[in-house]
Amino acid sequence: MPSWKVSGTMIDFTLNPEFAAKLDWVKEFVADKILPLDALFPEHGAPWNPRDEQAMRIVRPLQQQVKDQGLWAAHLPPHLGGPGWSTVELLHLNEILGGTDWGPTIFGCQAPDSGNSEILAKFGTDDQKQRYLKPLLANEIVSCFSMTEVEGGSDPTQFTCKAELDGDEWVINGEKWFSSNARYAEFYLVVCVTDPDAPTYNKMSILIVPHDTPGITILSNPGLPGEPFPDGTHGHVRYHDVRVPKDSLLGPRGGGFMVAQSRLGGGRIHHAMRVIGMCRRAIEMMATRANSRVTKGEALGRKQLVQVDIGQCWIELEQFRMLVLRTAWMFDNHMEKEALPWIAACKVACAQISHNIVFKAMHLLGSLGVSNQTPLARMWSGVLAMGMADGPTEVHQMFAGRDVLKRYPAYEGRFPVDYTPHQRQRAVAMWGERDDVDSQVFELAMSVR
């Protein structure tokens, strides 16, 4: 069901009619059912708490409607219960869901569970899939990816949380920071140093740890701006002599970095897709406010500076969307390695674009924009984290820059290739001095023929 294709030298952005009809259903469903749910259960962690019986009485029937439409867990292949959509198709879905809080959960594609389910499907044993993956895909439970550390941040070369073999068990000791949804998760995927003497990126492994394993303590639950202290959703977790069976490894021993990277690449582009939807909703709020609010005898939308702000936000968002679309296309064409700098670019632009647009929207709405009476302040709290989620923005800028540098060799001599005196010497050697150009160009043209 390709949503866009290349025909000859033309790129066709026309959507398949059947696919377009599905998206129309999603847009109407989100507007009619999910946006009101965002207002009824606005707590930051609410979409990841399957133990909230009040919310689940509403959520489960909505999820069933999504399943009836064949739209559940669209990122997964059919053998895992999803429709197996392409990455480009996921962009069209996720940009709709990204304007909501509950949307991804209602459609079975919420982070971090979506990424965790992918690596469980790819690297998990049959027993691990039966015990963890199956209920996770059904949203009966949620999971936690426990990687970041207090001192080391998201830099895996600085991790100190370790796991040592003691007979047939791994013994885990250390702390993890900002482990999203730890307080709700049924199990944690813990990134541990298991081989301290191995090469840097072969030191770590990932262990599956049930939430009720003795020795796990959630020291605190840091929250995002807007979440009242101390009731956040990103756990500071201590693992003290936590014992799990030897077969709790997810993937090979020493393969933790490789397994983690296999989920983070897709996770970053999914973040970018959802940010498109969030920013589009912010622009919609800007535009409707500008057309509705009258001051000094005319609508705000008649003010040139307002038009400039809204126009610039729209331009930036459409540029960003094309970047994400190109990256998604590379995924679909099995160019995962080539796509790495493009993913980095999406991650960098994701933080920058969302910052610019949401800030402009809050500014235009004035005191209403910074209040808790619109979704903008909630969006802003997410924007602040966007520059750090899945690695700091600067790391991705560095990676993209390093990739660009590989494409261009160093020049020999004192001056660069584009040094004008050298270029003129080449031109003269090719065509002669300016007085002789006409005859030289004629002779060159005849030789080409």
Side-chain angles (χ1 to χ4, degrees), residues 36-47:
L37 185 63
D38 285 356
L40 187 62
F41 294 95
E43 300 82 5
H44 282 69

Side-chain angles (χ1 to χ4, degrees), residues 12-43:
D12 185 358
F13 287 92
T14 304
L15 297 180
N16 177 298
E18 180 184 351
F19 181 65
K22 287 287 188 184
L23 294 179
D24 287 340
W25 183 89
V26 174
K27 291 174 184 175
E28 184 176 353
F29 184 71
V30 166
D32 291 348
K33 301 294 177 63
I34 298 182
L35 288 179
L37 185 63
D38 285 356
L40 187 62
F41 294 95
E43 300 82 5

Side-chain angles (χ1 to χ4, degrees), residues 1 3 19 23 71-76 83-98 107 109 118 266 269-270 272-274 276 324-325 328 331-332:
M1 182 190 307
S3 52
F19 181 65
L23 294 179
L71 297 171
W72 178 257
H75 63 294
L76 294 174
W85 281 12
S86 70
T87 314
V88 169
E89 289 166 342
L90 287 176
L91 184 152
H92 292 286
L93 175 65
N94 281 329
E95 66 179 353
I96 300 172
L97 303 182
F107 280 74
C109 57
E118 288 175 348
I269 193 172
H270 290 171
M273 294 172 181
R274 288 188 286 267
I276 295 169
V324 179
L325 184 60
F331 265 80
D332 290 340

Side-chain angles (χ1 to χ4, degrees), residues 403-439:
D403 184 79
V404 171
L405 287 168
K406 290 177 182 177
R407 305 175 202 169
Y408 302 97
Y411 58 82
E412 297 179 0
R414 298 178 63 191
F415 299 102
V417 174
D418 292 312
Y419 182 54
T420 300
H422 287 174
Q423 291 290 13
R424 192 175 188 283
Q425 288 177 4
R426 290 182 61 203
V428 169
M430 190 179 303
W431 293 302
E433 292 293 346
R434 292 177 58 173
D435 293 342
D436 300 326
V437 165
D438 289 343
S439 60

Side-chain angles (χ1 to χ4, degrees), residues 316 345 347-357 386 393 397:
E316 291 180 2
K347 174 62 174 62
V348 173
C350 187
Q352 294 173 343
I353 296 300
S354 58
H355 174 279
N356 294 348
I357 293 177
M386 196 63 65
T393 294
Q397 288 173 315

